[in-house]
């Protein structure tokens, strides 16, 4: 039976905020821990993600860290409902999240980790905060200040969204070089925001190293994130990623970015029965090298003009639909920063593996939704199912030690 609607945008009240938060934060110790620890050993031996990460990623700036930052090995994604009762409570929450993010990103260990650690371990930690459409209801007087394109993530035709894994007033993305760092941050946030937040959904994730080199691989065996906009180009970032004055967004939103999170489950038992040559045609790439079909290196560019009938790369191949490489479709590109997840086995004995898809862009309708429409009913859709996630707006960066998340938004009230 298909479930094509995401359900009500607000989560039902479960247990009290603190118990639910701590239960959510402790989840990594179960089914994911063993898989993450094995991946950590391999990944720590040789990172091949391109630019080298600093031990400490700067927290202050026009934009939040964790977007154009080179990917760390591990990540945690979570959606939350805000329990604050008024504008003052919301400001307290934002100030607290800012303070703790600033302290932790600077390398100061959370209270629960201080005694256990022999010495501080640099984690290249980034904590990225987004706001959902539901935050702009009538609770805090924000309804007239919502970003233009922010709404609850719709269910696309190939989705089977589960309401308990969708949406939220806030999104939190935590990235670092060790899996325990993610849990320590969540525990810290739970303590410091007691009574102000309730967890809605959570997914812990990690990068699979590509052996021997190149872009990381997903659990269907193909390399992921090979083609992205040039994050070193200010012009390209201002055209595709960051909210700028020509976008017509509220002034407080300048410097922010739209975040699309998608929890995508892979049907690996079914996928593993498909011959490799057929898998390659579904993706449009060679499985071993990551090169487009007919190419040799993953960095080779597909030349669709010389293959107008799809004799080399099928017309319905994933890479061809997602990025047709035409002048008309160039503005629909966006930055992908995705991670793998492993939740063990489900109640039917099937492996629960997949991707936490994270996309950043200037306009989710022009970019993500447009790409999604091109991918509708693609051959790959038979082997994957989006089950959760949400649309969020990543707040502009915290400019200096006196600034805080959402300061410009709440000053507009």
């Amino acid at each position: 039976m298909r479930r094509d609607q995401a359900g009500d945008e607000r989560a039902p009240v479960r247990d009290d905020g603190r118990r639910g938060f701590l239960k959510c934060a402790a989840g990594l110790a179960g089914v994911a821990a063993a898989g993450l620890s094995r991946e950590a050993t391999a990944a720590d031996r040789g990172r091949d993600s391109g630019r080298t990460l600093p031990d400490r990623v700067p927290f202050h700036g026009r934009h939040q860290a964790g977007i154009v930052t080179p990917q760390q090995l591990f990540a945690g994604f979570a959606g939350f409902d805000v329990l604050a009762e008024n504008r003052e409570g919301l400001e307290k929450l934002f100030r607290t999240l800012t303070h703790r993010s600033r302290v932790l990103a600077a390398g100061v260990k959370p209270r629960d980790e201080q005694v256990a650690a022999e010495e501080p371990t640099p984690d290249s930690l980034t904590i990225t905060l987004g706001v959902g459409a539901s935050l702009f209801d009538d609770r805090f007087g924000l309804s007239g200040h919502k970003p233009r394109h922010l709404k609850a993530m719709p269910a696309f035709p190939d989705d089977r969204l589960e309401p308990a894994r969708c949406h939220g007033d806030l999104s939190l993305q935590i990235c670092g070089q060790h899996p325990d760092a993610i849990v320590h941050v969540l525990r810290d946030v739970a303590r410091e925001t007691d009574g102000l937040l309730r967890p809605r959904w959570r997914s812990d994730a990690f990068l699979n190293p590509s052996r021997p080199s190149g872009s990381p691989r997903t659990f269907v065996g193909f390399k992921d994130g090979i083609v992205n906009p040039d994050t070193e180009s200010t012009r390209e970032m201002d055209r595709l990623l960051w909210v700028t004055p020509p976008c017509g967004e509220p002034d407080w939103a300048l410097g922010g970015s739209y975040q699309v999170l998608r929890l995508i489950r892979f049907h690996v038992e079914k996928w593993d029965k498909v011959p490799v040559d057929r898998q390659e045609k579904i993706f449009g790439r060679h499985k071993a090298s990551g090169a487009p079909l007919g190419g040799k290196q993953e960095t080779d560019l597909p030349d669709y003009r010389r293959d107008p009938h799809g004799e080399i790369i099928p017309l319905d191949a994933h890479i061809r639909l997602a990025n047709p490489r035409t002048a008309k479709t160039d503005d629909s590109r966006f930055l992908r920063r995705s991670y793998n997840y492993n939740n063990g086995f489900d109640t039917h004995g099937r492996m629960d593996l997949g991707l936490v898809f994270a996309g950043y862009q200037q306009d989710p309708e022009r970019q993500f939704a447009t790409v999604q429409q091109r991918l509708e009913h693609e051959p790959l859709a038979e082997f994957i199912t989006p089950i959760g996630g949400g649309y969020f707006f990543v707040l502009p960066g915290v400019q200096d030690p006196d600034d805080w998340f959402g300061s410009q938004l709440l000053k507009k009230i």
Side-chain angles (χ1 to χ4, degrees):
M1 179 182 296
R2 289 184 63 88
R3 287 176 288 174
D4 291 326
Q5 298 300 321
D8 185 74
E9 188 180 341
R10 304 226 17 101
V13 175
R14 300 187 292 274
D15 51 7
D16 73 77
R18 180 169 176 80
R19 287 203 306 270
F21 201 146
L22 290 173
K23 181 179 179 181
C24 186
L28 183 62
V31 294
L36 288 178
S37 61
R38 286 194 295 270
E39 293 297 334
T41 302
D44 278 330
R45 291 193 186 117
R47 213 166 51 235
D48 50 28
S49 60
R51 291 176 289 164
T52 302
L53 278 158
D55 288 343
R56 293 174 178 81
V57 179
F59 176 74
H60 296 122
R62 185 165 183 264
H63 312 294
Q64 285 196 59
I67 301 177
V68 298
T69 305
Q71 280 186 271
Q72 298 94 323
L73 295 174
F74 298 94
F77 299 87
F80 298 94
D81 291 325
V82 173
L83 301 180
E85 297 180 351
N86 49 40
R87 189 257 190 208
E88 289 72 23
L90 181 62
E91 179 174 330
K92 178 183 177 181
L93 172 62
F94 280 164
R95 285 182 178 273
T96 300
L97 289 172
T98 305
H99 172 65
R100 296 312 302 163
S101 298
R102 180 186 286 122
V103 168
L104 297 174
V108 177
K109 292 300 177 185
R111 186 189 315 163
D112 60 270
E113 194 182 3
Q114 287 173 357
V115 175
E118 292 86 355
E119 59 183 62
T121 304
D123 285 310
S124 303
L125 188 71
T126 58
I127 302 170
T128 309
L129 180 68
V131 294
S134 56
L135 188 72
F136 294 84
D137 56 18
D138 58 2
R139 287 172 294 166
F140 309 114
L142 299 177
S143 58
H145 304 282
K146 186 169 69 172
R148 288 180 59 197
H149 306 291
L150 186 59
K151 63 181 182 181
M153 182 179 71
F156 294 92
D158 295 316
D159 294 359
R160 294 183 183 177
L161 300 181
E162 301 173 10
R165 298 189 185 188
C166 294
H167 314 308
D169 293 333
L170 300 180
S171 72
L172 200 62
Q173 172 191 284
I174 307 164
C175 298
Q177 289 299 87
H178 299 88
D180 60 322
I182 311 303
V183 180
H184 286 305
V185 170
L186 282 170
R187 289 169 66 177
D188 184 276
V189 171
R191 285 191 300 271
E192 300 297 328
T193 63
D194 188 14
L196 295 175
L197 280 181
R198 178 178 59 227
R200 189 181 181 94
W201 59 266
R202 173 185 169 202
S203 185
D204 290 289
F206 51 95
L207 292 181
N208 285 327
S210 181
R211 304 170 181 89
S213 63
S215 299
R217 293 183 185 272
T218 68
F219 281 121
V220 292
F222 283 80
K223 295 186 176 185
D224 179 63
I226 294 173
V227 179
N228 256 329
D230 182 6
T231 58
E232 300 290 340
S233 168
T234 299
R235 181 178 181 181
E236 186 136 309
M237 292 296 93
D238 285 347
R239 183 170 67 89
L240 298 174
L241 183 63
W242 306 123
V243 166
T244 59
C247 296
E249 296 280 4
D251 290 344
W252 70 263
L254 298 179
S257 182
Y258 285 91
Q259 177 192 56
V260 175
L261 298 178
R262 302 269 283 175
L263 310 181
I264 303 174
R265 182 169 179 176
F266 296 160
H267 305 302
V268 292
E269 291 85 359
K270 187 176 184 180
W271 176 256
D272 290 344
K273 296 177 182 178
V274 178
V276 172
D277 61 343
R278 173 58 181 154
Q279 292 181 358
E280 292 179 333
K281 290 183 183 300
I282 289 173
F283 269 97
R285 291 189 179 275
H286 293 291
K287 193 170 187 178
S289 66
L293 296 181
K296 296 182 178 181
Q297 307 292 331
E298 70 176 73
T299 53
D300 291 347
L301 300 180
D303 190 347
Y304 299 138
R305 289 177 297 179
R306 294 190 177 186
D307 183 28
H309 303 296
E311 295 177 358
I312 301 174
I313 300 178
L315 299 179
D316 59 0
H318 181 77
I319 66 168
R320 193 161 188 163
L321 294 174
N323 184 7
R325 296 179 178 274
T326 66
K328 184 177 180 181
T329 62
D330 188 64
D331 275 352
S332 63
R333 293 184 299 127
F334 56 89
L335 180 67
R336 290 171 295 146
R337 200 177 190 277
S338 302
Y339 286 84
N340 306 289
Y341 77 79
N342 170 20
N343 289 337
F345 292 93
D346 65 15
T347 56
H348 301 286
R350 293 187 291 260
M351 297 197 76
D352 187 356
L353 304 173
L355 190 74
V356 182
F357 172 94
Y360 294 91
Q361 59 234 274
Q362 192 177 76
D363 177 349
E365 292 302 314
R366 187 189 88 214
Q367 295 167 276
F368 173 77
T370 297
V371 172
Q372 201 66 19
Q373 289 164 8
R374 292 199 295 263
L375 294 172
E376 185 176 320
H377 304 319
E378 63 168 325
L380 183 61
E382 183 181 348
F383 305 97
I384 66 174
T385 301
I387 58 175
Y391 283 0
F392 299 93
F393 186 80
V394 175
L395 297 168
V398 177
Q399 299 277 5
D400 54 51
D402 295 323
D403 195 13
W404 42 279
F405 287 133
S407 61
Q408 294 304 310
L409 167 61
L410 293 189
K411 288 177 182 177
K412 295 294 182 182
I413 302 175

